Amino acid sequence: MPGPGPPRWPEARGVSVWVNCACSLDGRLAFAEGVRARLSSPEDLARVQRLRAGSDGILVGVGTVVQDDPSLRVHWDRIGARPGRDPARIVVDGSGRTPTGARVLDGSIPTIVATSERARRAFPPAVRTVVVGSARVDLARLFERLPELGIRRVLVEGGAGILASVLRGGLFHRLTVYYAPVVIGGSTAPPMVAGGEAAGPADLVTLRLAGTTPMGDGYVAEYRPDGPALGRRPG
Ligand SMILES: NC(=O)c1ccc[n+]([C@@H]2O[C@H](COP(=O)([O-])OP(=O)(O)OC[C@H]3O[C@@H](n4cnc5c(N)ncnc54)[C@H](OP(=O)(O)O)[C@@H]3O)[C@@H](O)[C@H]2O)c1
């Protein structure tokens, strides 16, 4: 369970996928219309930085880049560590709509944009572009390609669309959710998982609870997929 030491990543034959996000108690990732909400407690922020520091790549969707403009870097000072190797940034952008001025494109850290055949966009030379998929990014294929790019531990941070594909596709080994003791409510605040409707039990993603840990004024719940990870269903 998440503690103050370095996180223990799951063993995996190819890439090891750890999904992490912060939610309100009602399962929202952000404020109305997706406006960024800083939900993590200071303790959880430190936990996430340790998780980032132990990863080879941090993955987000282009929706998160457009909405939040994250730097996706490790804040070594928050974990009292000397700066080490920065994990690569991985942006899932099927249509090539990452803003030109986005921080992920600043060239300061190795960055991969995973895109699809429908994208007509050229990215700066410092950015590695990987085309996987015809209209959307095929995440299962992307994860297969990552080891050849030196990435074996990938931390998936969101947002709601990416979490839908990764969780519903069974493309993960571990999920940790920080639950902040707040309620957001409303109808436009993004839920933890977006995507299509679940019509019944056959559409459920089932998980096993591995434990819960108090984290400041909230708590972290850790889950494992209920069954073999990676590629149980199409992504
Ligand atoms: N609380 C947290 O921990 C946390 C963390 C991250 C983000 N967030 C929040 O999440 C929200 C953004 O979520 P979002 O759903 O709008 O965006 P997102 O999940 O970051 O990105 C989704 C976009 O990725 C592209 N994409 C390409 N292939 C995909 C695939 N196979 N599966 C899913 N997406 C694919 C699609 O855009 P194209 O069709 O253009 O390719 C899609 O619209 C923001 O409000 C942000 O603040 C919260």
Side-chain angles (χ1 to χ4, degrees):
M1 273 311 295
R8 286 183 51 208
W9 279 72
E11 296 289 327
R13 238 182 315 144
V15 74
S16 175
V17 181
W18 188 320
V19 179
N20 182 75
C21 64
C23 280
S24 61
L25 269 192
D26 55 329
R28 309 304 181 99
L29 290 179
F31 290 122
E33 312 290 352
V35 170
R36 185 178 206 169
R38 296 183 187 277
L39 295 165
S40 285
S41 61
E43 295 82 356
D44 190 55
L45 285 176
R47 180 189 66 87
V48 174
Q49 295 307 316
R50 284 194 295 273
L51 207 43
R52 284 185 172 189
S55 72
D56 303 318
I58 305 168
L59 182 149
V60 297
V62 64
T64 298
V65 172
V66 169
Q67 185 70 246
D68 299 353
D69 192 19
S71 69
L72 299 186
R73 55 175 66 245
V74 180
H75 299 283
W76 301 96
D77 51 321
R78 285 208 185 124
I79 48 177
R82 279 215 307 260
R85 184 188 56 92
D86 283 307
R89 308 186 274 211
I90 307 167
V91 178
V92 175
D93 179 2
S95 55
R97 61 184 171 100
T98 299
T100 315
R103 293 208 277 174
V104 290
L105 298 184
D106 67 9
S108 62
I109 294 176
T111 301
I112 298 164
V113 175
T115 190
S116 78
E117 287 156 18
R118 89 178 144 111
R120 295 284 169 263
R121 164 87 179 279
F123 289 97
V127 171
R128 174 113 192 208
T129 308
V130 179
V131 180
V132 272
S134 49
R136 305 186 89 201
V137 173
D138 182 331
L139 292 171
R141 274 177 61 201
L142 172 64
F143 291 161
E144 278 169 22
R145 293 277 306 274
L146 290 180
E148 78 199 44
L149 302 174
I151 297 170
R152 293 207 161 268
R153 295 172 166 187
V154 62
L155 178 63
V156 174
E157 293 198 353
I162 290 296
L163 294 181
S165 292
V166 171
L167 295 180
R168 286 179 159 165
L171 299 172
F172 69 106
H173 298 92
R174 189 164 298 173
L175 165 68
T176 42
V177 183
Y178 172 76
Y179 288 99
V182 298
V183 169
I184 292 181
S187 58
T188 65
M192 186 178 130
V193 175
E197 302 301 330
D203 296 323
L204 289 176
V205 177
T206 53
L207 304 147
R208 279 182 297 117
L209 180 66
T212 54
T213 308
M215 195 65 58
D217 54 3
Y219 70 96
V220 175
E222 180 170 326
Y223 302 90
R224 309 280 156 84
D226 188 18
L230 284 197
R232 284 180 302 147
R233 297 175 215 169

